[in-house]
Amino acid sequence: MTEIPDKPALEGLEAKWGSVWEEQGTYAFAREGAERGDVYSIDTPPPTASGSLHVGHVFSYTHTDTVARFQRMRGKRVFYPMGWDDNGLPTERRVQNYYGVRCDPSLPYVEGFVPPHEGGDGKSIKAADQQPISRRNFIELCERLTLEDEKQFEDLWRTLGLSVDWKQSYRTIGADSLRASQLAFLRNVERGEAYQAQAPTLWDVTFRTAVAQAELEDREQPSAYHTLSFHRTDGEGDILIDTTRPELLAACVALVAHPDDERYQNLFGTTVRTPLFDVEVPILSHHLAQQDKGTGIAMICTFGDVTDVVWWRELDLPNRAILGFDGRVISEAPEAITSERGRELFAQLAGKTVFSAKQLVVEALQASGELTGEIRKITHPVKFFEKGDKPLEIVSTRQWYIVNGARDEELRERLLAHGRELDWHPDFMRVRYENWVEGLSGDWLISRQRFFGVPIPVWYPLDDDGNPVYDAPILPSEAQLPVDPSSDLPAGFSEEQRGVPGGFVGEVDVMDTWATSSLTPQLAGGWERDPELYDLVFPFSMRPQGQDIIRTWLFSTLLRSELESGQLPWQNAGISGWILDPDRKKMSKSKGNVVTPAGMLEQHGSDAVRYWAASAKLGTDAAFDPQNPTQIKIGRRLAIKLLNAAKFTLGFDASGAGTVTEPIDRSMLAGLARVIEDATRAFENYDHARALELTESYFWTFCDDYLELVKERAHNGTGQDQASAVTALRAALSVFVRLLAPFIPFATEEVWSWFGEGSVHVAAWPESSELTALAGEDADPGLLDLVGGALIGIRGAKTAAKASQRTPVTLAVVQAPEQDRGRLASAAADLAAVGRIAELRIESADVDGVTVATIELEQPEA
RNA sequence: GCGCCUUUAGCUCAGUUGGUUAGAGCAUCUGGUUUACACCCAGAGGGUCGGGGGUUCGAGUCCCUCAGGGCGCACCA
């Protein structure tokens, strides 16, 4: 126990208690002797280590922490790890900007490499000025920087007071994660759930990597319709088609119209010649062609959009792709282009960007007279990589996929069933999951042509000509993991055989970052590493996360768990809402309205900020105005009030404390017992905001009414009257501190240290029986309210007379309904004391509620 | 286009299975330096619960419909 300061303050509590908790291991997972039923496990979202923390993080992580603290106090052994998502593109980009480098896998490793910059803000180093370095050097820098970033994140989380067990941390690029990630992949391959395929793939030309459906977003883009003339080979004239992508004309493989379209009925099965390139292509029918779009007949190119891919596949068309991985037109013209004019034009197009190619083709079409009418500007949605800034192209490449139910009705049904089985908080978030699962259009593409990630653990044999035999990948044994196929060897091969005919070659691609993040329950829980731990924590009790990553993180985690074990990875999913700025816009870095969390915590104190976060329900967006952080100020006030009320309460002589006998004392405790029950129920239902509201509201009643009513008796009273008040006050304080502990952990711990044993955060969550034992089963819970009503009347009369609340009252007559008269009278002494009433008469009368009928104030000396 | 959420006081939000006269905090105004707290206390004013229709003895709450705001999925010739 520590001494109560003269002037209790919030300042410094974060540092004071943060280090105590660390030393005492307050939040350590108590694994010894644990059974699954004792454990509450949390599948914490690993923040992107190279990103910056924003207010939204503080918001949602606080939600989770209140639950963790509640469960811990209820006696659960809480498994609350923290992970860092450090692999992937965000880290690569940050490393490029921070050190002024970029990865060039063709370069050799340089021992003791010193990067050209250190700590640049990133904006100043242009891509052209970045120093190319080897993949291994690049990855070393990624490792170095993420470790630094993680340290800063951890400091912030500690300041915020997250009750994480820091001994359970993991990194998504760490050796254990690498192994688990590759192991899960191998199992997927063995069960036929992971496979490779050569297929048209959505491709980001800036990052030169394939991307998955989950990483797409639509953006409205300006575009234009061009009307092109295709020439009927039967000489019966031209067919007009509208296209927004004339630059892909050289890749045209067919025209398509709806089978029911009367305008084109007699043309199905005939052919036309393309403008400029003079390639003969068929006119086909397909139900996806829309009669009311453009001229009702479209050109199919390899590949302008995903509909082209469907047509190409279903109509069994040839591939005449003309775009390369860099988004430029390739140098080799499709064989189908045979005319001299066509080949000449294509030679001019070669090497051009999509943008320049379009200009050139349009000019050529205008010159040849095959562009009809005006070019009509439109805007339309175009698919982008969510982190990219150029439209995605579609290129045909070999990639690894994991099944996700898009092409497997049975799997999809199982995934949907798991979605129904999971307890969502709030429940309606399930719909987002269902929308996503039902809308999946293809299996999950997990290959990324990047550097800092988990290597796909396969090699390919090389045939006698030195070409990889992709159909016969060589897999490592589970014991070999983790492996890096570009430096490790497949069994039975030697390093000399790398890259030579008859030898082997390692896969260079890495996995999608979600392919690792989808295994967070496995990574944190020690899957295939620490089976005893895994059995204790899996399936996890709780998955907290933001609503924006339901389709990525939540879905992919559920999928991997279903594939590996046929099981839901968690019992509950808690989905936090957005933080909105005062204009109701989602806060984001690009909009420049982000405040740094560290600054917020510094300025207002962690408890205050936590209060703000915790006062919002799961699934509900919260407005936040940095200029006027109302909720934070209220939280700060609450924390300060608790310190002061505790100091006051503990200042009364407690030598006679033991039993509670006064009706008003018993009433207050009975009311608080009810608050315990309601708040506990709210917490059990993942409604932390309700628990806070109930507690906070009664706490203010406690301070403003009860404490005022009894302070005279507690201070100057004698015998059992005094002892009753002090006993009730102390019991209530203990309960309030524990009820508020999940929300304002620093102030509550400070207060607890003045009278309690150990940490409040491992103290027992209050139970109503503690208080009913003191108050008695027959306590009158409504009495406090009733007396409070009389108190308001007396205060109001003084205020109306513009008199101080301290003004003595010579006579007050309080009227109450008959049934309330006796109840009110039981607190008459307290009421008279707080009102400084010399003569207090309580009468029964025909009134609706307690009414102050007469009040005579002592006249101040003139 | 399909769907989900949302609309309550100037602001931010509660409002449980339908049940007295719809609540809180902030802000505003009026008072008060009361031996815990001026980072305080007391009091007051402020709402046709987005519009319309319906069910019901009774609707902020349930149903229908329209409108605004946010979001998810789909749409890309």
Side-chain angles (χ1 to χ4, degrees):
Chain A
M1 281 196 261
T2 58
E3 205 171 314
I4 306 175
D6 285 343
K7 274 267 174 194
L10 298 177
E11 280 66 31
L13 295 186
E14 290 89 351
K16 174 180 176 185
W17 291 110
S19 56
V20 171
W21 295 333
E22 176 65 19
E23 283 159 24
Q24 314 267 313
T26 309
Y27 307 126
F29 176 56
R31 180 170 167 175
E32 285 305 307
E35 291 176 29
R36 182 61 185 94
D38 311 331
V39 173
Y40 189 88
S41 48
I42 301 172
D43 182 18
T44 318
T48 304
S50 50
S52 48
L53 286 172
H54 51 81
V55 188
H57 283 108
V58 169
F59 184 66
S60 56
Y61 281 79
T62 299
H63 293 164
T64 310
D65 189 56
T66 62
V67 174
R69 289 180 181 277
F70 166 70
Q71 295 290 352
R72 191 179 292 113
M73 290 176 74
R74 285 207 105 190
K76 291 286 187 186
R77 296 162 184 251
V78 174
F79 182 73
Y80 188 9
M82 181 63 66
W84 308 112
D85 188 15
D86 29 27
N87 76 43
L89 203 46
T91 298
E92 291 189 14
R93 281 206 292 192
R94 177 154 155 74
V95 163
Q96 288 177 355
N97 292 327
Y98 191 90
Y99 295 114
V101 297
R102 73 184 150 81
C103 181
D104 182 344
S106 67
L107 295 173
Y109 177 69
V110 175
E111 197 80 42
F113 173 74
V114 179
H117 296 272
E118 186 91 24
D121 65 357
K123 302 286 179 261
S124 54
I125 306 166
K126 286 179 187 156
D129 300 333
Q130 292 167 348
Q131 180 178 340
I133 59 172
S134 74
R135 179 173 173 151
R136 195 171 144 198
N137 284 118
F138 187 76
I139 287 172
E140 281 178 2
L141 291 179
C142 290
E143 295 271 3
R144 195 205 291 181
L145 189 56
T146 48
L147 281 173
E148 283 177 26
D149 287 342
E150 284 158 20
K151 186 76 192 64
Q152 293 198 7
F153 274 44
E154 183 175 330
D155 286 349
L156 186 86
W157 287 147
R158 285 178 182 271
T159 306
L160 180 62
L162 295 188
S163 60
V164 160
D165 178 358
W166 291 101
K167 290 194 176 63
Q168 307 291 342
S169 301
Y170 64 91
R171 314 175 69 212
T172 57
I173 201 68
D176 287 340
S177 300
L178 238 62
R179 181 179 165 275
S181 207
Q182 293 185 333
L183 181 57
F185 173 81
L186 281 191
R187 301 262 178 100
N188 290 138
V189 174
E190 282 160 12
R191 291 190 298 261
E193 296 152 358
Y195 62 93
Q196 47 182 338
Q198 172 83 27
T201 304
L202 285 160
W203 185 268
D204 186 287
V205 300
T206 311
F207 296 110
R208 299 202 190 178
T209 183
V211 298
Q213 188 183 356
E215 297 168 295
L216 304 183
E217 66 181 34
D218 288 347
R219 296 184 198 161
E220 275 302 316
Q221 292 291 303
S223 185
Y225 276 127
H226 304 69
T227 306
L228 274 47
S229 305
F230 283 67
H231 316 300
R232 291 174 59 169
T233 47
D234 58 11
E236 295 293 312
D238 288 347
I239 308 270
L240 300 180
I241 67 104
D242 281 341
T243 180
T244 56
R245 304 209 60 182
E247 71 274 21
L248 293 179
L249 182 56
C252 178
V253 290
L255 299 190
V256 65
H258 195 274
D260 299 338
D261 195 325
E262 291 179 9
R263 294 169 294 178
Y264 303 108
Q265 284 299 322
N266 56 339
L267 293 173
F268 294 138
T270 68
T271 60
V272 290
R273 304 196 78 84
T274 62
L276 299 180
F277 297 99
D278 203 32
V279 173
E280 183 173 358
V281 296
I283 299 178
L284 303 171
S285 70
H286 192 277
H287 67 275
L288 282 181
Q290 292 178 33
Q291 306 191 37
D292 55 353
K293 207 154 192 175
T295 56
I297 185 163
M299 75 169 180
I300 304 173
C301 303
T302 51
F303 300 93
D305 61 46
V306 290
T307 320
D308 278 347
V309 176
V310 174
W311 283 328
W312 170 78
R313 186 181 295 126
E314 295 189 4
L315 298 173
D316 199 20
L317 296 164
N319 189 342
R320 291 175 195 151
I322 62 164
L323 289 181
F325 294 156
D326 55 0
R328 291 169 184 266
V329 177
I330 57 176
S331 53
E332 192 115 341
E335 285 177 16
I337 301 176
T338 51
S339 73
E340 196 176 319
R341 187 178 72 143
R343 296 196 78 84
E344 230 167 70
L345 179 58
F346 194 89
Q348 291 177 48
L349 288 173
K352 287 204 163 14
T353 62
V354 167
F355 180 80
S356 321
K358 180 179 290 184
Q359 283 186 320
L360 189 64
V361 169
V362 168
E363 281 165 21
L365 285 165
Q366 280 167 334
S368 71
E370 289 166 305
L371 182 70
T372 308
E374 298 290 305
I375 296 172
R376 288 109 65 205
K377 290 187 174 164
I378 58 159
T379 63
H380 67 169
V382 176
K383 286 194 192 309
F384 278 71
F385 175 37
E386 59 188 355
K387 295 186 170 71
D389 49 19
K390 281 188 181 156
L392 292 172
E393 294 297 346
I394 296 172
V395 299
S396 206
T397 60
R398 186 192 53 84
Q399 307 280 344
W400 281 90
Y401 294 83
I402 290 180
V403 296
N404 63 5
R407 297 157 193 278
D408 179 346
E409 184 70 24
E410 229 177 280
L411 174 57
R412 181 162 62 233
E413 277 312 316
R414 289 205 300 279
L415 293 170
L416 288 169
H418 282 316
R420 289 187 293 269
E421 205 185 314
L422 182 61
D423 278 323
W424 297 75
H425 310 285
D427 189 65
F428 64 75
M429 287 294 178
R430 174 186 287 108
V431 178
R432 308 239 178 142
Y433 171 81
E434 288 172 346
N435 279 346
W436 178 251
V437 176
E438 285 161 359
L440 283 168
S441 61
D443 282 336
W444 176 15
L445 194 167
I446 59 155
S447 301
R448 293 294 179 276
Q449 289 67 45
R450 301 299 310 179
F451 317 108
F452 192 52
V454 176
I456 296 177
V458 296
W459 300 266
Y460 307 99
L462 294 176
D463 64 17
D464 295 341
D465 298 327
N467 294 317
V469 185
Y470 291 120
D471 292 344
I474 307 164
L475 301 174
S477 69
E478 293 192 356
Q480 263 180 287
L481 299 178
V483 300
D484 179 356
S486 25
S487 53
D488 296 324
L489 297 175
F493 288 87
S494 63
E495 187 57 40
E496 294 73 49
Q497 291 174 279
R498 186 184 294 274
V500 301
F504 71 95
V505 66
E507 170 66 71
V508 294
D509 288 354
V510 297
M511 291 186 208
D512 175 9
T513 176
W514 294 113
T516 304
S517 302
S518 58
L519 297 167
T520 52
Q522 289 81 358
L523 302 182
W527 175 68
E528 295 289 320
R529 169 168 60 83
D530 186 345
E532 186 194 297
L533 175 65
Y534 197 62
D535 287 347
L536 282 177
V537 301
F538 186 91
F540 280 59
S541 312
M542 161 87 165
R543 155 56 75 87
Q545 65 165 74
Q547 54 179 303
D548 51 332
I549 49 176
I550 289 173
R551 68 174 178 171
T552 48
W553 193 37
L554 191 145
F555 170 72
S556 63
T557 310
L558 203 158
L559 171 70
R560 297 306 283 288
S561 180
E562 159 59 28
L563 294 178
E564 183 61 34
S565 66
Q567 234 177 325
L568 253 185
W570 340 272
Q571 285 131 17
N572 296 279
I575 312 291
S576 294
W578 298 119
I579 302 303
L580 304 174
D581 69 12
D583 304 324
R584 313 294 304 174
K585 295 281 180 287
K586 184 191 155 195
M587 284 204 149
S588 71
K589 210 174 174 181
S590 58
K591 295 196 183 77
N593 52 8
V594 167
V595 237
T596 71
M600 268 173 89
L601 297 180
E602 172 71 22
Q603 188 183 352
H604 304 286
S606 295
D607 281 344
V609 174
R610 290 176 59 105
Y611 172 91
W612 157 74
S615 59
K617 292 186 293 194
L618 286 175
T620 301
D621 296 343
F624 178 69
D625 182 356
Q627 251 52 58
N628 188 22
T630 314
Q631 283 294 316
I632 294 180
K633 288 181 181 166
I634 296 168
R636 186 174 171 83
R637 219 178 51 147
L638 174 68
I640 292 169
K641 189 74 172 180
L642 179 67
L643 296 178
N644 284 310
K647 176 176 149 66
F648 189 47
T649 295
L650 295 170
F652 300 125
D653 175 16
S655 56
T659 54
V660 179
T661 43
E662 286 297 296
I664 191 78
D665 302 338
R666 298 170 60 203
S667 174
M668 182 276 294
L669 293 178
L672 185 52
R674 197 174 289 177
V675 169
I676 293 174
E677 286 169 9
D678 292 346
T680 303
R681 199 174 307 119
F683 252 129
E684 285 170 343
N685 293 326
Y686 289 84
D687 192 352
H688 58 259
R690 176 90 180 133
L692 172 57
E693 188 198 328
L694 287 161
T695 304
E696 180 195 16
S697 148
Y698 199 71
F699 176 66
W700 284 104
T701 301
F702 170 80
C703 288
D704 294 344
D705 292 346
Y706 177 74
L707 202 39
E708 291 296 327
L709 276 165
V710 303
K711 67 182 182 186
E712 183 66 24
R713 174 156 53 93
H715 201 250
N716 297 323
T718 53
Q720 179 53 31
D721 285 358
Q722 190 271 348
S724 175
V726 172
T727 309
L729 282 167
R730 290 196 162 228
L733 178 66
S734 165
V735 167
F736 277 121
V737 172
R738 283 176 286 157
L739 288 176
L740 290 170
F743 305 104
I744 48 173
F746 295 102
T748 49
E749 187 74 319
E750 173 72 10
V751 166
W752 188 260
S753 76
W754 299 339
F755 67 94
E757 291 298 322
S759 168
V760 69
H761 300 299
V762 290
W765 183 253
E767 293 196 26
S768 59
S769 57
E770 298 174 29
L771 298 182
T772 45
L774 280 173
E777 294 294 340
D778 58 344
D780 175 2
L783 179 61
L784 181 57
D785 257 1
L786 191 71
V787 179
L791 186 54
I792 286 170
I794 292 160
R795 284 167 173 165
K798 290 185 180 179
T799 298
K802 299 198 173 186
S804 158
Q805 290 298 321
R806 231 180 156 181
T807 310
V809 173
T810 48
L811 170 69
V813 180
V814 175
Q815 297 183 331
E818 173 58 35
Q819 70 274 16
D820 292 337
R821 202 204 68 85
R823 300 168 69 203
L824 201 51
S826 71
D830 289 334
L831 196 53
V834 68
R836 295 178 174 260
I837 300 165
E839 183 183 357
L840 173 64
R841 288 186 212 149
I842 295 171
E843 302 175 342
S844 65
D846 185 18
V847 287
D848 284 344
V850 175
T851 311
V852 176
T854 309
I855 185 159
E856 289 173 11
L857 303 184
E858 190 170 286
Q859 293 306 310
E861 304 285 324

